PDB file of all heavy atoms in Angstrom:
ATOM      1  N   ASN R 192      15.067   8.599  31.910  1.00 94.00           N
ATOM      2  CA  ASN R 192      15.563   9.609  32.847  1.00 94.00           C
ATOM      3  C   ASN R 192      16.408   8.958  33.931  1.00 94.00           C
ATOM      4  O   ASN R 192      15.985   8.779  35.074  1.00 94.00           O
ATOM      5  CB  ASN R 192      14.384  10.355  33.487  1.00 94.00           C
ATOM      6  CG  ASN R 192      13.698  11.260  32.509  1.00 94.00           C
ATOM      7  OD1 ASN R 192      14.333  12.011  31.782  1.00 94.00           O
ATOM      8  ND2 ASN R 192      12.372  11.196  32.486  1.00 94.00           N
ATOM      9  N   VAL R 231      16.987  13.335  27.764  1.00 98.00           N
ATOM     10  CA  VAL R 231      15.783  13.459  26.926  1.00 98.00           C
ATOM     11  C   VAL R 231      14.740  14.266  27.687  1.00 98.00           C
ATOM     12  O   VAL R 231      14.651  14.186  28.906  1.00 98.00           O
ATOM     13  CB  VAL R 231      15.216  12.073  26.551  1.00 98.00           C
ATOM     14  CG1 VAL R 231      16.183  11.310  25.665  1.00 98.00           C
ATOM     15  CG2 VAL R 231      14.890  11.248  27.801  1.00 98.00           C
ATOM     16  N   TYR R 298      24.055  18.318  31.603  1.00 97.00           N
ATOM     17  CA  TYR R 298      22.682  18.488  31.128  1.00 97.00           C
ATOM     18  C   TYR R 298      21.747  17.485  31.814  1.00 97.00           C
ATOM     19  O   TYR R 298      20.615  17.818  32.186  1.00 97.00           O
ATOM     20  CB  TYR R 298      22.617  18.312  29.609  1.00 97.00           C
ATOM     21  CG  TYR R 298      23.407  19.339  28.844  1.00 97.00           C
ATOM     22  CD1 TYR R 298      24.734  19.106  28.499  1.00 97.00           C
ATOM     23  CD2 TYR R 298      22.830  20.549  28.468  1.00 97.00           C
ATOM     24  CE1 TYR R 298      25.474  20.039  27.792  1.00 97.00           C
ATOM     25  CE2 TYR R 298      23.561  21.491  27.753  1.00 97.00           C
ATOM     26  CZ  TYR R 298      24.886  21.237  27.432  1.00 97.00           C
ATOM     27  OH  TYR R 298      25.613  22.168  26.735  1.00 97.00           O
ATOM     28  N   CYS R 300      22.200  16.142  34.746  1.00 97.00           N
ATOM     29  CA  CYS R 300      22.093  16.570  36.148  1.00 97.00           C
ATOM     30  C   CYS R 300      21.083  17.707  36.279  1.00 97.00           C
ATOM     31  O   CYS R 300      20.200  17.682  37.146  1.00 97.00           O
ATOM     32  CB  CYS R 300      23.465  16.993  36.641  1.00 97.00           C
ATOM     33  SG  CYS R 300      23.553  17.317  38.398  1.00 97.00           S
ATOM     34  N   MET R 301      21.184  18.700  35.416  1.00 98.00           N
ATOM     35  CA  MET R 301      20.265  19.835  35.433  1.00 98.00           C
ATOM     36  C   MET R 301      18.823  19.381  35.249  1.00 98.00           C
ATOM     37  O   MET R 301      17.934  19.770  36.027  1.00 98.00           O
ATOM     38  CB  MET R 301      20.637  20.803  34.304  1.00 98.00           C
ATOM     39  CG  MET R 301      19.645  21.938  34.087  1.00 98.00           C
ATOM     40  SD  MET R 301      19.962  22.849  32.541  1.00 98.00           S
ATOM     41  CE  MET R 301      19.456  21.647  31.296  1.00 98.00           C
ATOM     42  N   LYS R 302      18.605  18.555  34.266  1.00 98.00           N
ATOM     43  CA  LYS R 302      17.236  18.155  33.942  1.00 98.00           C
ATOM     44  C   LYS R 302      16.626  17.285  35.031  1.00 98.00           C
ATOM     45  O   LYS R 302      15.487  17.492  35.470  1.00 98.00           O
ATOM     46  CB  LYS R 302      17.213  17.434  32.595  1.00 98.00           C
ATOM     47  CG  LYS R 302      15.811  17.220  32.042  1.00 98.00           C
ATOM     48  CD  LYS R 302      15.335  15.811  32.244  1.00 98.00           C
ATOM     49  CE  LYS R 302      13.934  15.617  31.704  1.00 98.00           C
ATOM     50  NZ  LYS R 302      13.503  14.213  31.712  1.00 98.00           N
ATOM     51  N   MET R 303      17.383  16.302  35.506  1.00 97.00           N
ATOM     52  CA  MET R 303      16.814  15.387  36.489  1.00 97.00           C
ATOM     53  C   MET R 303      16.630  16.034  37.855  1.00 97.00           C
ATOM     54  O   MET R 303      15.654  15.775  38.548  1.00 97.00           O
ATOM     55  CB  MET R 303      17.660  14.123  36.579  1.00 97.00           C
ATOM     56  CG  MET R 303      17.345  13.156  35.452  1.00 97.00           C
ATOM     57  SD  MET R 303      18.200  11.580  35.596  1.00 97.00           S
ATOM     58  CE  MET R 303      19.727  12.000  34.800  1.00 97.00           C
ATOM     59  N   LEU R 306      13.965  19.511  36.759  1.00 98.00           N
ATOM     60  CA  LEU R 306      12.645  19.143  36.231  1.00 98.00           C
ATOM     61  C   LEU R 306      12.069  17.923  36.960  1.00 98.00           C
ATOM     62  O   LEU R 306      10.997  17.998  37.553  1.00 98.00           O
ATOM     63  CB  LEU R 306      12.722  18.869  34.728  1.00 98.00           C
ATOM     64  CG  LEU R 306      11.379  18.666  34.008  1.00 98.00           C
ATOM     65  CD1 LEU R 306      11.500  19.025  32.529  1.00 98.00           C
ATOM     66  CD2 LEU R 306      10.812  17.256  34.124  1.00 98.00           C
ATOM     67  N   ASN R 307      12.779  16.801  36.901  1.00 97.00           N
ATOM     68  CA  ASN R 307      12.197  15.564  37.419  1.00 97.00           C
ATOM     69  C   ASN R 307      11.986  15.597  38.930  1.00 97.00           C
ATOM     70  O   ASN R 307      10.956  15.135  39.432  1.00 97.00           O
ATOM     71  CB  ASN R 307      13.052  14.364  37.024  1.00 97.00           C
ATOM     72  CG  ASN R 307      13.081  14.130  35.521  1.00 97.00           C
ATOM     73  OD1 ASN R 307      14.108  14.325  34.886  1.00 97.00           O
ATOM     74  ND2 ASN R 307      11.965  13.736  34.945  1.00 97.00           N
TER      75      ASN R 307
END
Side-chain angles (χ1 to χ4, degrees):
N192 289 313
V231 295
Y298 297 91
C300 188
M301 172 191 71
K302 191 258 179 172
M303 280 186 274
L306 188 154
N307 295 111

